[in-house]
């Protein structure tokens, strides 16, 4: 595959690969390809073979699970620019995606074939070390999420989510729908709507067409840590 400056830029900014040197980034870029995904289009379904590791270049991807009856959806996380989507799946003994993924807006993804990625792991020790660090961080994030769900109020979880999006994407990031945000935060859409309204009235956030600006992150941080 032909390398491009955009491909290497995406890899270099991904938390999974950002600590790698030029040789490893060039090796990854050589086997990668860009894939567009329209809003509402499915990237993969739960149980599909995990033949590809995806990195979000642009847009927003929802990773979710359905209940056994297929009526209710639980959002596990939202992956924005430079984040890997369901990366753990490609390292399972029988690699299958443990959840489904769908674009919440028009998106662009970098696709790395699983077999090619595994071959690079065997020949590039720095890549293997980067992967171990990434998986350790992801486990820590899951433990933190559990702590927030059990011990913190919706307003604190929402504030922390907004600050995380700000750090990752900058001002003017787009919110998912209230039902999707509620599923992500472990609450109901009505609570999300109410808490967003409270943050807006307090002057902690500005909202326009589902886009968010945070003029005083330190003040919002106080809500997140309450």
């Amino acid at each position: 595959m032909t390398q491009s400056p955009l491909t290497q830029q995406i890899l270099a900014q991904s938390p999974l690969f950002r600590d790698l040197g030029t040789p490893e980034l060039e090796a990854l870029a050589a086997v990668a390809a860009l894939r567009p995904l329209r809003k509402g289009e499915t990237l993969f379904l739960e149980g599909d073979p995990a033949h590809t590791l995806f990195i979000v270049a642009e847009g927003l991807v929802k990773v979710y699970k359905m209940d056994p009856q297929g009526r209710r959806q639980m959002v596990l996380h939202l992956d924005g620019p430079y984040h890997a989507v369901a990366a753990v799946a490609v390292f399972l003994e029988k690699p299958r995606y443990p959840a489904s993924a769908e674009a919440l807006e028009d998106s662009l993804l970098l696709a790395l074939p699983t077999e090619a990625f595994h071959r690079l792991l065997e020949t590039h020790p720095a890549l293997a070390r980067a992967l171990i660090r990434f998986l350790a961080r992801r486990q820590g994030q899951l433990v933190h999420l559990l702590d927030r769900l059990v011990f913190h109020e919706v307003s604190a979880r929402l504030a922390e989510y907004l600050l995380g999006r700000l750090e990752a994407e900058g001002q003017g990031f787009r919110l998912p729908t209230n039902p999707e945000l509620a599923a992500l935060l472990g609450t109901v859409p009505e609570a999300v709507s109410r808490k967003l309204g409270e943050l807006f009235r307090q002057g902690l956030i500005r909202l326009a067409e589902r886009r968010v600006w945070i003029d005083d992150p330190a003040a919002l941080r106080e809500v997140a840590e309450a």
Side-chain angles (χ1 to χ4, degrees), residues 118-185:
H118 285 174
R119 288 196 298 270
L120 290 173
L121 281 174
E122 294 175 359
T123 56
H124 291 75
L127 179 57
R129 291 193 294 270
L131 174 63
I132 292 171
R133 288 193 295 269
F134 170 80
L135 294 176
R137 286 196 300 268
R138 179 55 62 92
Q139 180 168 341
Q141 290 166 357
L142 291 174
V143 172
H144 179 71
L145 175 61
L146 179 61
D147 173 81
R148 302 297 289 184
L149 288 173
V150 174
F151 298 113
H152 293 267
E153 299 294 332
V154 173
S155 55
R157 302 202 297 268
L158 175 59
E160 183 176 52
Y161 168 79
L162 296 174
L163 289 166
R165 292 288 302 279
L166 174 66
E167 181 180 353
E169 302 171 45
Q171 299 284 3
F173 58 86
R174 183 181 294 278
L175 281 180
T177 66
N178 284 355
E180 290 164 344
L181 193 48
L184 182 66
L185 297 175

Side-chain angles (χ1 to χ4, degrees), residues 18-40:
R18 64 188 174 197
D19 295 331
L20 296 178
T22 299
E24 288 79 20
L25 291 174
E26 289 180 344
L28 287 168
V31 300
L34 291 169
R35 174 177 168 180
L37 200 67
R38 293 184 179 276
K39 179 180 179 179

